[in-house]
């Protein structure tokens, strides 16, 4: 029987493992429920995504500053925010196999019994739905008691609200301004899945943008467009993205509007990032519960008000997965097919690979010298002298390296290298003295081939 071609998700998962992007966590002990570790290339990819987000959202703007708040906050934080009382999913248990499923996602769930059916379609009876809180609990200090209970944060946003006054007083900002944070969040998801799309431990990139209430609509428009464009400018195909406004029935009770930026994954359309109008709900609640005044006083208009908040909130791991899926192509060439990740150069884990054409005649030494100079220019590089040159190019295509530099006889004679572009596979001779400028210019003018 002919071997079946793996599906698109399987292809990505296996490439990630094989080439060192993502490994199953605790693999030698049999893993731990849809939890993953990031390998050498994966960690570089996450770093690029975080840098690109931070540069665009914080560094490039004069009205947004950063924050790094604690993962474990005073547990009252989560009572006030509504997470202790309401951050839950309805779940049902199968009385036969003892598996647990999300009651609102039964149509997507598979019963572990073979032949696999949907929960409830086998002989097993399902319990009535019960609310299951998604926060991870822990205890502070040596004594485990109800008074020592604390939570791992389920979102980074609340740490920002808690520091609203601190940032206001220590910076010279006034609304409209934003506070951004990237950090780990934890949710005890009932059904994690689709590789790193939904996991129990993940990184979020969130920004709370505080505005005068009358400017809510204008800033909501601005941040939706800004966040959507960030993805397309980093190479994500716009036909695979859409903006979906929430129906009134979907909105959180404090939200006046929310939109999801969705991507068409191999498993269907899914939320990549949300942009929400959170009104003054969080600041007001924390103000009331803590007794700390979180009202802003505008010295110019002499007006006191609680700012409204526009919140773009995305997941770094989900963004990285999206960049991977979207970049992956199998390109039919004359004689064979090549697998290529068409990452934007700003996102690619390796920017430039450097090869000696052959492992002799001083070429490795020269190639290492060139590689070291690119490293000094803060370029992420990779040196490889094994296998035929064509094979080395293909290995770099598969991990998305946009440029390969080859040192050959001309380099030793005339100080000229060959630069090979990943997307077009075109090769060009470039003087070693002009190589850095050439590469930086190429990176700056990159666009995805259609
Ligand atoms: N502060 C708002 C908030 O946390 P959210 O929609 O629950 O909103 C924001 O989360 C983003 O975080 C999502 O759009 C998604 O990208 C990411 N995210 C949420 N849960 C996740 C999970 N279990 N695994 C991976 N990423 C997740």
């Amino acid at each position: 029987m002919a071997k079946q071609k793996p599906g698109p998700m399987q292809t990505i998962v296996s490439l990630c493992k094989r080439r060192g992007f993502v490994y199953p966590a605790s693999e030698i002990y049999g893993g731990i429920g849809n939890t993953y570790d990031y390998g050498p290339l994966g960690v570089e990819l996450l770093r690029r995504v975080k840098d690109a987000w931070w540069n665009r959202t914080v560094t490039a703007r004069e009205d947004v500053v950063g924050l790094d708040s604690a993962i474990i906050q005073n547990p009252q934080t989560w009572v006030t925010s509504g997470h202790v009382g309401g951050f839950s999913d309805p779940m049902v248990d199968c009385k036969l196999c003892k598996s647990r499923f999300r009651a609102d996602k039964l149509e997507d769930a598979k019963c572990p019994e073979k032949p696999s059916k949907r929960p409830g379609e086998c002989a097993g009876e399902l319990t009535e739905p019960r609310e299951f809180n998604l926060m991870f609990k822990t205890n502070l200090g040596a004594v485990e008691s109800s008074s020592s209970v604390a939570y791992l944060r389920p979102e980074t946003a609340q740490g920002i609200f808690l520091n609203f006054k601190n940032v206001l007083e220590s910076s010279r900002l006034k609304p409209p301004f934003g506070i951004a944070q990237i950090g780990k969040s934890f949710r005890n998801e009932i059904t994690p899945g689709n590789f790193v799309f939904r996991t129990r431990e993940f990184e979020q990139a969130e920004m709370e943008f505080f505005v005068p209430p009358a400017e809510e609509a204008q800033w909501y428009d601005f941040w939706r467009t800004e966040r959507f464009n960030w993805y397309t400018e980093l190479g994500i195909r716009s036909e695979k993205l859409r903006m979906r406004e929430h129906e009134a029935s979907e909105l959180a009770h404090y939200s006046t509007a929310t939109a999801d930026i969705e991507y068409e994954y191999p498993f269907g359309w899914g939320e990549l990032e949300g942009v929400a109008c959170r009104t003054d709900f969080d600041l007001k609640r924390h103000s009331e519960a803590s007794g700390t005044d979180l009202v802003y006083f505008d010295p110019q208009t002499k007006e006191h008000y609680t700012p409204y908040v526009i919140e773009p909130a995305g997941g770094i791991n989900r963004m990285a997965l999206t960049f991977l899926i979207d970049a992956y192509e199998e390109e039919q060439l004359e004689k064979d097919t090549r697998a290529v990740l068409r990452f934007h150069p700003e996102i690619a884990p390796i920017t430039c690979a450097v090869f000696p054409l052959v492992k002799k005649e001083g070429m490795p030494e020269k190639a290492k010298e060139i590689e070291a100079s690119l490293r000094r220019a803060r370029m992420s590089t990779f040196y490889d002298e094994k296998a035929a040159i064509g094979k080395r190019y293909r290995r770099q295509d598969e991990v998305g390296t946009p440029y390969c530099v080859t040192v050959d006889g001309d380099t030793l004679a005339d100080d000229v290298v060959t630069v090979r572009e990943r997307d077009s596979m075109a090769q060009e001779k470039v003087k070693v003295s002009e190589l850095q400028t050439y590469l930086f210019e190429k990176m700056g003018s990159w666009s995805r081939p259609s």
Side-chain angles (χ1 to χ4, degrees):
M1 208 166 70
K3 220 169 128 198
Q4 225 189 343
K5 196 173 174 323
M9 239 2 238
Q10 258 175 300
T11 304
I12 293 292
V13 173
S14 96
L15 185 149
C16 281
K17 169 95 196 288
R18 192 163 34 81
R19 300 305 309 271
F21 282 93
V22 184
Y23 313 124
S26 324
E27 195 180 12
I28 61 170
Y29 288 108
I32 170 163
N34 212 68
T35 303
Y36 295 92
D37 295 335
Y38 288 77
L41 291 184
V43 83
E44 292 293 335
L45 175 63
L46 290 179
R47 197 167 277 278
R48 299 284 179 283
V49 173
K50 284 186 269 190
D51 284 351
W53 187 89
W54 194 266
N55 285 338
R56 177 74 166 244
T57 314
V58 183
T59 316
R61 302 186 61 90
E62 52 184 26
D63 54 0
V64 180
V65 291
L67 181 80
D68 191 358
S69 68
I71 285 173
I72 298 177
Q73 299 282 352
N74 185 311
Q76 182 59 42
T77 306
W78 310 109
V79 177
T80 307
S81 66
H83 286 86
V84 169
F87 191 55
S88 53
D89 282 336
M91 50 146 229
V92 291
D93 291 298
C94 174
K95 290 184 183 169
L96 184 69
C97 70
K98 309 291 178 218
S99 299
R100 186 163 280 184
F101 308 101
R102 265 179 70 166
D104 56 341
K105 297 261 182 263
L106 282 181
E107 66 284 4
D108 302 334
K110 273 202 186 121
C111 162
E113 296 286 294
K114 298 282 177 252
S116 186
K117 295 187 174 145
R118 297 219 193 293
E121 286 177 2
C122 61
E125 190 193 336
L126 297 179
T127 61
E128 283 300 306
R130 277 179 295 150
E131 288 301 318
F132 174 79
N133 194 293
L134 301 184
M135 278 199 295
F136 278 100
K137 261 190 200 164
T138 186
N139 289 88
L140 290 189
V143 182
E144 281 193 25
S145 71
S146 58
S147 63
S148 69
V149 165
Y151 302 95
L152 303 189
R153 68 177 173 206
E155 62 172 19
T156 59
Q158 296 302 322
I160 297 179
F161 296 123
L162 301 191
N163 283 287
F164 170 73
K165 195 162 184 257
N166 283 335
V167 174
L168 203 59
E169 286 174 358
S170 57
S171 68
R172 303 178 69 86
L173 293 163
K174 57 188 284 258
F177 79 96
I179 306 177
Q181 160 151 248
I182 295 180
K184 285 245 170 155
S185 292
F186 302 83
R187 296 181 188 180
N188 198 2
E189 301 279 2
I190 304 169
T191 43
N194 286 326
F195 194 34
V196 294
F197 180 82
R198 180 172 291 104
T199 50
R200 297 193 171 103
E201 173 182 340
F202 54 97
E203 245 174 324
Q204 285 189 307
E206 297 196 286
M207 201 268 293
E208 309 304 317
F209 200 71
F210 301 94
V211 304
E215 295 178 23
E216 182 193 41
Q218 120 194 17
W219 284 108
Y220 178 53
D221 277 353
F222 172 84
W223 282 109
R224 275 181 319 164
T225 309
E226 162 64 10
R227 292 303 307 142
F228 193 94
N229 290 349
W230 183 77
Y231 289 106
T232 55
E233 286 168 31
L234 284 175
I236 302 276
R237 290 163 295 171
S238 51
E239 66 271 22
K240 290 277 180 184
L241 279 178
R242 72 181 181 196
M243 183 76 75
R244 191 183 69 79
E245 287 294 332
H246 282 205
E247 303 283 334
S249 59
E250 277 180 274
L251 289 177
H253 59 95
Y254 52 77
S255 177
T256 43
T258 297
D260 286 343
I261 299 174
E262 295 187 335
Y263 182 81
E264 191 178 17
Y265 296 95
F267 46 86
W269 286 95
E271 174 189 337
L272 169 56
E273 165 162 353
V275 183
C277 291
R278 294 184 74 119
T279 64
D280 54 4
F281 174 80
D282 303 271
L283 287 182
K284 271 204 169 139
R285 290 273 294 221
H286 285 302
S287 196
E288 280 158 21
S290 66
T292 302
D293 186 7
L294 300 178
V295 164
Y296 173 71
F297 172 66
D298 187 329
Q300 266 159 0
T301 61
K302 310 282 182 235
E303 199 193 349
H304 287 89
Y305 66 90
T306 305
Y308 271 33
V309 168
I310 313 300
E311 176 198 64
I316 294 292
N317 313 75
R318 210 174 272 188
M319 291 176 192
L321 175 67
T322 310
F323 282 116
L324 268 164
I325 290 173
D326 195 72
Y328 186 80
E329 276 179 35
E330 283 172 18
E331 189 182 5
Q332 190 59 50
L333 304 174
E334 230 170 80
K335 291 193 185 130
D336 61 353
T337 309
R338 73 166 177 152
V340 54
L341 281 171
R342 296 198 193 276
F343 284 134
H344 188 292
E346 206 180 323
I347 293 295
I350 301 167
T351 315
C352 182
V354 185
F355 311 144
L357 182 62
V358 288
K359 229 163 56 174
K360 54 186 182 190
E361 294 160 17
M363 289 182 209
E365 290 75 12
K366 185 72 187 167
K368 280 183 184 163
E369 195 185 296
I370 291 172
E371 195 219 356
S373 75
L374 295 176
R375 274 183 198 272
R376 280 197 297 277
R378 294 178 171 252
M379 201 172 273
S380 162
T381 62
F382 182 80
Y383 174 82
D384 190 5
E385 57 181 27
K386 292 186 202 90
I389 193 77
K391 215 166 178 180
R392 280 181 267 169
Y393 286 147
R394 292 298 172 84
R395 280 182 61 78
Q396 293 305 313
D397 289 343
E398 202 191 26
V399 296
T401 307
Y403 312 104
C404 293
V405 169
T406 301
V407 167
D408 55 21
D410 286 354
T411 320
L412 303 176
D414 307 324
D415 243 18
V416 169
V417 288
T418 303
V419 180
R420 185 255 193 191
E421 271 188 3
R422 173 198 67 201
D423 295 328
S424 62
M425 296 188 289
Q427 303 194 3
E428 205 175 336
K429 293 278 185 188
V430 178
K431 278 193 169 156
V432 174
S433 58
E434 290 164 12
L435 182 62
Q436 271 180 35
T437 316
Y438 174 90
L439 290 173
F440 281 120
E441 268 173 22
K442 282 271 173 199
M443 286 166 71
S445 60
W446 181 86
S447 67
R448 187 170 175 151
S450 42

